[in-house]
Each structure stands twice: as C-alpha cells, then as structure tokens.
Amino acid sequence: MCAICAKAGKWRRAVSAPQDDGGTSAEPPRSAAGTPDEALRLLMEGNARYVANEPLERDYSAGRPSRALGQAPFAAVVGCSDSRVLTEMVFDRGPGDIFIVRVAGNFVTQKGLGSLEFGVAMLGAKVIMVLGHTSCGAVDATVRSLQTGEIYPGHIDELVQSMAPGIQPVLSEPGEDLIRRATVANVRYNVELLRNSPPIMAGMVERGELRVEGGVYDLVTGRVELLEI
C-alpha cells in the first residue's frame, strides 16, 4: 500500500468514527462500488434510468444521520456550472454518491485538481468522469474568442483562455458542427490531463485503482455518451 493510500485510510476512519447521534443506530456510509469498472457501470445504469424517466424512489431524509458521520462517494464528476445539468439527477444517484467539481466549461483548474485528488485519495472515489454537454456557452465563447480575438469582460476571459488549449486544435480540422467537435475536444483534453497528473492520479490509474473517463450529456435526450479516449 502506498503512503498516500495509507494516510487516506486513516483519514476515512477518523471522519467516519461513531459519534453521539442522540441514540440513533446510524452507521457511516459505505461506497456503492468496489472497483472502477463497477463505479462506471453504476453511473451509466443511473443515466439509463434517467433517460427512460424511471428513477429509483428514495427517502432522502432517511440517510441524513448516516451521512453526518462521513462520506464515501463511489464516483467523482468534473461538470459544467450550467444550471440545466444536475449531476445527481443525470446519473440518478442520491446524496453522498458523487463528489462533484463544477466550473463553467468543465475544465480542470489547479484547485479543481486538488479537490479531485481529495475525492479519490481521501474519500475513495473509483472513477472520475469529465462531463461536457451540448449547447455549452463556455465552449461557444471559447470558439468565438479563438476565431475572432474577442476579449470578454472581467474574469470571463480567464475562463476562456483556460479552455483554449483543449479546443484550439479542432479549429483547423475539417468537419461540420464545430461546436460539437470543440465540446468533445475539451472533454478529451481534460481526461488526458487527469490521467497523467502526478503524483496521485497517474499512479492510481496505472495501478488500476482509478478510471478517468469522458462523456457528453445531451440536453435534449438526457443521454450521456461515453467517449473513446
């Protein structure tokens, strides 16, 4: 066991230690998935239920005492801040299942990377999905900026410049639907960034302890398309 994993185990045990819960018999939550493959399967099965409008029935109040004792998300998602994309709903999961990092344009920042490292190394998430979506305003703004040199006000331009490296290459490639290709390229760029990020992510991926995947959520159908990366 690596030093990081050993420390993470001690940390999880510490935050999940039984506390005085007023006489209830709540126990700390456990991860719903034991392997990266199982974690990805649970996400995609949940999305299939969402698309079919057949979500699982849940009593959200029943698990509150247990969740107060700790957390054990089986997956992490790098999502866009777009108000139309609700991560838990898209994958039909409840509180405590998914560790979420959101930023307009679903790209990885340094602080986002640290958050994701916390989610996988300390909390035990087995899969990270970088989730783009159709009709993404941040992608559209980045394409316009690269094509015309338009500069956006305030810190918006910093966001666009952060997305530019992943999207720039597709501008010179042939093909229709540039925004769609830019959306996919942005997802792929950030998946590769995470897969090869030392010292935590790259090692966990190499040892088979973690999968990093990419997907695009269709706002019309609700379906998440997994990308080959």
Side-chain angles (χ1 to χ4, degrees), residues 80-102:
C80 182
S81 298
D82 194 296
S83 60
R84 300 165 293 179
V85 186
L86 305 180
T87 306
E88 287 93 348
M89 184 178 292
V90 167
F91 293 109
D92 190 31
R93 302 304 308 190
D97 285 335
I98 305 176
F99 188 82
I100 303 169
V101 174
R102 297 184 69 170

Side-chain angles (χ1 to χ4, degrees), residues 21-210:
D21 57 8
T24 67
S25 57
E27 295 182 356
R30 297 181 180 180
S31 175
T35 67
D37 289 349
E38 185 179 4
L40 181 61
R41 176 179 61 79
L42 289 176
L43 285 180
M44 299 312 295
E45 287 178 351
N47 179 244
R49 292 193 300 271
Y50 173 68
V51 171
N53 197 28
E54 297 176 348
L56 297 176
E57 293 186 7
R58 293 183 175 87
D59 181 349
Y60 289 102
S61 64
R64 288 172 185 159
S66 176
R67 291 192 295 271
L69 301 180
Q71 59 174 317
F74 71 86
V77 171
V78 181
C80 182
S81 298
D82 194 296
S83 60
R84 300 165 293 179
V85 186
L86 305 180
T87 306
E88 287 93 348
M89 184 178 292
V90 167
F91 293 109
D92 190 31
R93 302 304 308 190
D97 285 335
I98 305 176
F99 188 82
I100 303 169
V101 174
R102 297 184 69 170
V103 62
N106 49 268
F107 64 95
V108 180
T109 67
Q110 286 298 304
K111 292 181 176 63
L113 177 59
S115 296
L116 291 166
E117 289 177 338
F118 183 83
V120 299
M122 299 297 185
L123 301 180
K126 298 293 190 296
V127 64
I128 298 174
M129 180 175 290
V130 180
L131 186 64
H133 67 92
T134 57
S135 302
C136 180
V139 170
D140 184 68
T142 302
V143 169
R144 290 204 310 271
S145 176
L146 289 170
Q147 288 179 322
T148 68
E150 181 177 355
I151 298 175
Y152 296 93
H155 295 287
I156 300 173
D157 200 62
E158 294 178 16
L159 182 151
V160 167
Q161 295 307 315
S162 295
M163 296 175 64
I167 293 175
Q168 175 77 64
V170 303
L171 268 63
S172 59
E173 296 175 355
E176 299 179 355
D177 198 353
L178 175 58
I179 298 301
R180 161 71 183 182
R181 290 186 289 114
T183 298
V184 171
N186 182 51
V187 169
R188 286 177 169 157
Y189 180 87
N190 285 280
V191 167
E192 292 291 354
L193 186 155
L194 289 173
R195 285 179 179 175
N196 296 287
S197 177
I200 294 176
M201 300 289 189
M204 294 183 72
V205 169
E206 183 177 0
R207 293 189 297 272
E209 300 168 356
L210 175 71

